[in-house]
Amino acid sequence: MNLDGVWAIYRYELRRTQRTIWQSVATPVITTALYFVVFGAAIGSRISEVGGVSYGAFIVPGLIMLTLLTQSISNAAIGIYFPKFTGTIFELLSAPMSSLEAVSAYVGAAATKSVGIGLIILATATLFVPVRIEHPVWMVAFLILTSVAFSLFGFIIGIWAKNFEQLAIIPALMITPLTFLGGAFYSIDMLPPFWRSVSLFNPVVYLVSGFRWSFYGKGDVSVAASLGFTMLFIAACLAALVFIFRTGWRLKP
């Protein structure tokens, strides 16, 4: 294991975040705080509780998950896309590093940033509403696993993208709508039976439900289903990356 190479890429990616601190950290935190104020004030005045939890506290896991998914994808996608854009990807491919080491460095850095932002948002939310965490170990586990899973997905998007438009299209047109429709701001049990059944085909439902369970001990689906989906998604992303590095798809001219 080339730990020096992994550490060099990991450190470089974190320093890139430091150079763009307002864009990388402050912007998502402020945006999420605005979501919290708007949804908490507008809907919270009409819905006092959801499943015995005040509406303001209920949406905290959903807001964290919304930011976690988009930031994990964006951080990892940009991290690998820029070497392709500038042509330095060939230096990475010719370096004495395996594909596992390169992916570990980029995905590890993206996941670290996402986890950090998620914890900052959690700390910010406690200033607005009383938040309790019944299962802190599982909360951290879901936070890390979700960040790693979608950082892997973002890494794949960064390799697939040929331009900046493609780089942004998946988070904007797929992840954000799925999160809004995945129970981030409501419980799918509040929906009519037909639409609840349809919602179960939304993968984000399982992520939000598992994360919310770690806070309040209640979720829309079982914890086993949430954990199983997350692990399955990680396995699928790893399989796709194995194919990419073995064939050189979108990496080599």
Side-chain angles (χ1 to χ4, degrees):
M1 191 75 174
N2 186 353
L3 295 179
D4 290 336
V6 173
W7 173 245
I9 295 176
Y10 179 86
R11 185 176 55 186
Y12 173 80
E13 287 298 304
L14 291 185
R15 285 183 174 176
R16 182 167 59 83
T17 301
Q18 294 175 356
R19 294 194 298 267
T20 58
I21 191 69
W22 284 104
Q23 177 183 357
S24 302
V25 178
T27 299
V29 170
I30 294 173
T31 301
T32 305
L34 291 174
Y35 274 127
F36 184 82
V37 171
V38 171
F39 278 89
I43 302 179
S45 60
R46 293 171 173 79
I47 304 176
S48 58
E49 290 186 352
V50 178
V53 181
S54 67
Y55 184 76
F58 178 83
I59 65 174
V60 170
L63 285 172
I64 296 174
M65 190 59 64
L66 172 63
T67 303
L68 203 67
L69 299 186
T70 55
Q71 288 297 310
S72 295
I73 291 175
S74 297
N75 288 330
I78 291 173
I80 191 61
Y81 176 78
F82 268 102
K84 287 178 52 186
F85 181 73
T86 59
T88 56
I89 186 69
F90 301 107
E91 297 178 6
L92 175 65
L93 294 174
S94 62
M97 292 183 64
S98 66
S99 57
L100 173 62
E101 292 164 349
V103 171
S104 298
Y106 281 106
V107 170
T112 299
K113 294 182 231 177
S114 299
V115 169
I117 292 173
L119 293 175
I120 292 172
I121 293 173
L122 176 59
T124 304
T126 60
L127 301 176
F128 294 93
V129 293
V131 178
R132 72 177 190 270
I133 304 175
E134 293 189 3
H135 307 283
V137 174
W138 280 107
M139 188 276 288
V140 174
F142 274 111
L143 196 67
I144 294 174
L145 287 174
T146 303
S147 297
V148 170
F150 279 82
S151 293
L152 288 168
F153 185 52
F155 192 85
I156 295 171
I157 293 174
I159 294 175
W160 164 78
K162 292 183 177 180
N163 51 52
F164 287 99
E165 181 181 1
Q166 291 183 348
L167 197 66
I169 195 170
I170 300 297
L173 298 183
M174 182 182 294
I175 301 302
T176 299
L178 286 177
T179 305
F180 273 87
L181 297 174
F185 302 105
Y186 58 88
S187 170
I188 64 170
D189 290 334
M190 300 168 65
L191 300 174
F194 173 76
W195 290 111
R196 187 188 187 283
S197 300
V198 171
S199 295
L200 293 177
F201 290 95
N202 182 350
V204 179
V205 166
Y206 299 88
L207 301 174
V208 173
S209 176
F211 195 53
R212 182 171 286 132
W213 171 86
S214 70
F215 278 76
Y216 308 118
K218 298 178 181 179
D220 294 326
V221 298
S222 68
V223 181
S226 298
L227 187 61
F229 171 80
T230 305
M231 300 305 296
L232 181 64
F233 190 75
I234 290 175
C237 289
L238 288 174
L241 286 172
V242 169
F243 168 80
I244 288 171
F245 279 96
R246 282 185 176 178
T247 61
W249 180 76
R250 295 289 176 94
L251 289 174
K252 301 176 181 178

